């Protein structure tokens, strides 16, 4: 057969692209396979389209794309039965590469092969990353001879006629020494699984194996590695719940069953399909092995969708497919792309709508799954304003009796009893039902409702709720004694006067388990506990927040401070006060008379010096004042020592404090043992 042969130079403006391709595209060599296969898919799909509009009258036949390795010849071949190319088309589509400013661009994006390949339409040429010679053997579906194009990785190519009857294209890569990995079956299998799993045209690699006479043997049946009709490409109406579940398993074989799915199917104003799944997300932010996979017309692109969809949506699983997302471009470009932004907003809206749907149509189911959904929904509400607006209607609050309420429902419930004297609505919460049991109980006894906020993320979220919901304040049940959790105008008289309280302070202080306890007095009901340990909402929250965010170290490193609240109306406390007065009332009385005299001296001196500036004072006056101040301090110390002495020996005081520690789970080890022994000895008396 007579053949014509043509030689030429690939038409590029830059001197020679090949060294550049080799040199700079090192990081992502493997994507050459994705590029060649998607060209083969394109060629096949185009032929189908031509056939469907009557422009191709021949037989379509078997359209399977075949990948094969020849280890001896060191070749990897991608064959399709698509529309093929004429020699003219090779000239046009392969030889002419617009490539101006390439070198500069390459240097800038040398780590991002995707960007370069996409930018210059270098899909086919990426094969030179792994080959020292590439052949194209192709016969167009149109009439005419087949052609062979050969290029050895320099700008020279050979284009000649070739003897071939069958329509379609073979791309033959002569794999170079450094790329021998791509002659390994396992490596290619891995790549096909990554990039080609859901391509719309069957892809064959190797043969099916069969168990025969005690071993696996190859059959002559092609092994098809892809699912050409993945669930997301079908109509939602044609799919059952089982189909969605099966597809999830196909995507993530090891994952636990998801909670719900959303099937996205949009064709205006952009094209987007996909299925998103809500996985069970409890407390673990980091563990996120199963990611959303992004496709373009069923070609896998990436599984790092950060910046493409809002952060909280990256907690979902599943697939997104859109030909409108520009794929072969850099990430920063993607993030600023208007289409991408629209798509992202659309997904957010769809997710919110779907949740709303489930909430309205099956509230019971929604409540059952709330604990697993909560982190996701709250995170979305915190980070996406638009999502907040929608989710506000179905987001739930859960109370310590495991009942669920919407924000509006809950507000109605607590409005009457939990509004404080300033008109603030006080939401009470606990984060540990066991540890805070006595506080929860005390609040309930007072007719309050207590929420459970036990997520690692809740402190942040309730800050947000305080900003969003009007006149709202969240207070943990153990941050105050129950009377003061919600401040109202009622005031209860104290059975112990101020002076007695001053005396009791060192008595109780002498027995606190460490420095971080401040003794305060409250006139509570006589049935409330005699001593209660609280921790201020603000201080605790600052510490928790700084732990979460890693910043604000000042707060994180502060020591924990607690209030030890002594109930001045409790009979046992009153009894302690009586005992104290009996044991050291006379002595302390005398000291106080002394103290009173010195204080009076100091007051009259202060009066005398009033109005004078510091530098107008005579040395003598300064000395006198200092002496009196010192004396007051000394006498106070003397008084406190006597009272501490009483406190240290008073088993009841220790017992009261230990009971308060016990009620908040703070008594353990040696202290607990001592408490038990003391309790027994007190019983025996
Ligand atoms: P792109 O796919 O972005 O157009 P490529 O460099 O991957 O860029 O391919 C260039 C062109 O070569 C394609 O547009 C197509 O016209 C032609 N081509 C490549 N591979 C094939 C193939 N297997 N069958 C038919 N035409 C092909
Ligand atoms: Mg291509």
């Amino acid at each position: 057969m007579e053949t014509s042969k043509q030689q030429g130079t690939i038409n590029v403006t830059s001197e020679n692209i090949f060294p550049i391709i080799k040199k700079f595209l090192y990081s992502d060599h493997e994507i050459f396979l994705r590029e060649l296969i998607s060209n083969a898919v394109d060629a096949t799909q185009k032929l189908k389209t031509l056939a469907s509009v009557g422009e191709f009258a021949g037989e379509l036949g078997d359209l399977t794309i075949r990948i094969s390795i020849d280890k001896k010849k060191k070749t990897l071949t991608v064959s399709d039965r698509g529309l093929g190319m004429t020699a003219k088309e090779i000239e046009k589509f392969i030889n002419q590469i617009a490539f101006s400013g390439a070198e500069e661009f390459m240097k800038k994006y040398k780590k991002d092969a995707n960007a370069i390949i996409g930018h210059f339409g270098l899909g086919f040429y990426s094969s030179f990353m792994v080959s020292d010679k590439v052949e194209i053997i192709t016969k167009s579906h149109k009439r005419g001879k087949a052609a062979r194009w050969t290029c050895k990785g320099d700008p020279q190519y050979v284009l000649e006629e070739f003897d071939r009857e069958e329509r379609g294209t073979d791309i033959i890569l002569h794999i170079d020494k450094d790329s021998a990995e791509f002659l390994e079956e396992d490596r290619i299998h891995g790549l096909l699984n990554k990039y080609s799993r859901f391509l719309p045209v069957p892809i064959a690699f190797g043969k099916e194996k069969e168990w025969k006479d005690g071993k696996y043997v190859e059959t002559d049946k092609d092994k098809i590695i892809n699912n050409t009709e993945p669930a997301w490409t079908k109509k939602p109406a044609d799919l059952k719940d089982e189909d969605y579940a099966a597809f999830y398993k196909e995507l993530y074989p090891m994952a636990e069953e998801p909670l719900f799915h959303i099937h996205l199917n949009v064709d205006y104003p952009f094209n987007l399909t996909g299925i998103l799944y809500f996985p069970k997300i409890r407390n673990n932010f980091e563990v996120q092995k199963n990611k959303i996979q992004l496709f373009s017309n069923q070609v896998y692109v990436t599984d790092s969708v950060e910046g493409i969809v809002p952060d909280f949506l990256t907690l979902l699983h599943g697939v997104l497919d859109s030909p409108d997302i520009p794929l072969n471009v850099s990430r920063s470009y993607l993030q600023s792309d208007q289409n991408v932004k629209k798509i992202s907003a659309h997904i957010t809206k769809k997710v919110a709508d779907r949740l709303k749907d489930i909430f309205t149509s099956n509230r019971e189911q929604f409540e059952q799954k709330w604990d697993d959904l909560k982190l996701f929904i709250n995170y979305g509400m915190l980070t996406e304003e638009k999502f907040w607006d929608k989710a506000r209607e179905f987001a739930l609050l859960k109370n310590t009796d495991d009942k669920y309420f919407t924000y509006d429902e809950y507000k109605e419930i607590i409005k009457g009893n939990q509004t404080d004297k300033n008109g603030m609505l006080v939401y009470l919460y606990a984060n540990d039902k066991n540890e805070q049991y006595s506080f929860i109980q005390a609040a309930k006894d007072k007719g309050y409702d207590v929420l459970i906020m036990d997520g690692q993320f809740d402190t942040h979220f309730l800050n947000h709720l305080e900003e969003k919901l009007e006149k709202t304040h969240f207070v943990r049940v153990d941050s105050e004694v129950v009377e003061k959790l919600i401040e109202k105008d009622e005031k209860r008289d104290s059975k112990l006067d101020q002076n007695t309280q001053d005396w009791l302070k060192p008595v109780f202080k002498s027995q606190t388990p460490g420095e971080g306890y401040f003794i305060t007095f409250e006139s509570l009901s006589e049935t409330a506990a005699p001593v209660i340990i609280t921790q201020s909402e603000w201080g605790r929250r600052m510490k928790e927040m700084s732990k979460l965010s890693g910043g604000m170290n000042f707060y994180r490193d502060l020591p924990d401070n607690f209030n030890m609240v002594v109930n001045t109306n409790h009979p046992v406390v009153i009894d302690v006060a009586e005992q104290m007065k009996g044991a050291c009332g006379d002595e302390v009385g005398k000291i106080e008379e002394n103290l009173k005299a010195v204080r009076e001296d100091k007051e009259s001196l202060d009066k005398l010096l009033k109005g004078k500036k510091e530098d107008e004072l005579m040395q003598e006056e300064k000395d006198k004042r200092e002496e009196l101040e010192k004396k007051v301090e000394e006498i106070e110390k003397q008084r406190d020592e006597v009272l501490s002495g009483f406190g240290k020996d008073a088993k009841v005081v220790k017992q009261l404090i230990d009971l308060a520690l016990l009620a908040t789970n703070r008594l353990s080890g040696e202290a607990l043992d001592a408490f038990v022994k003391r309790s027994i000895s007190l019983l025996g008396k």
Side-chain angles (χ1 to χ4, degrees), residues 6-20:
Q6 173 193 342
Q7 297 197 10
T9 304
I10 289 163
N11 189 1
V12 290
T13 26
S14 172
E15 258 303 279
N16 181 352
I17 57 164
F18 296 103
I20 303 172

Side-chain angles (χ1 to χ4, degrees), residues 85 90 94 124 134-138 147-149 169-171:
M85 281 182 277
I90 294 185
I94 302 289
F124 164 72
V134 177
E135 289 174 68
I136 304 174
I137 295 171
T138 180
R148 176 164 82 169
W149 177 92
T169 305
D170 285 3
I171 309 285

Side-chain angles (χ1 to χ4, degrees), residues 19 29 53 88 109 120 162 196 201 209 214 314 323 333 342 345 349 354 393 409 411-412 468 487 490 576 647:
H29 278 179
V53 297
K88 265 212 171 105
Y109 291 106
F120 295 106
F162 193 76
S196 310
V201 179
K209 285 180 180 165
T314 64
Y333 180 84
K342 266 186 232 151
K349 181 178 171 300
R354 171 78 169 134
E393 288 165 41
E409 288 164 0
K411 189 175 170 182
E412 277 311 304
K468 286 286 192 179
E487 286 203 79
E490 13 182 277
V576 170

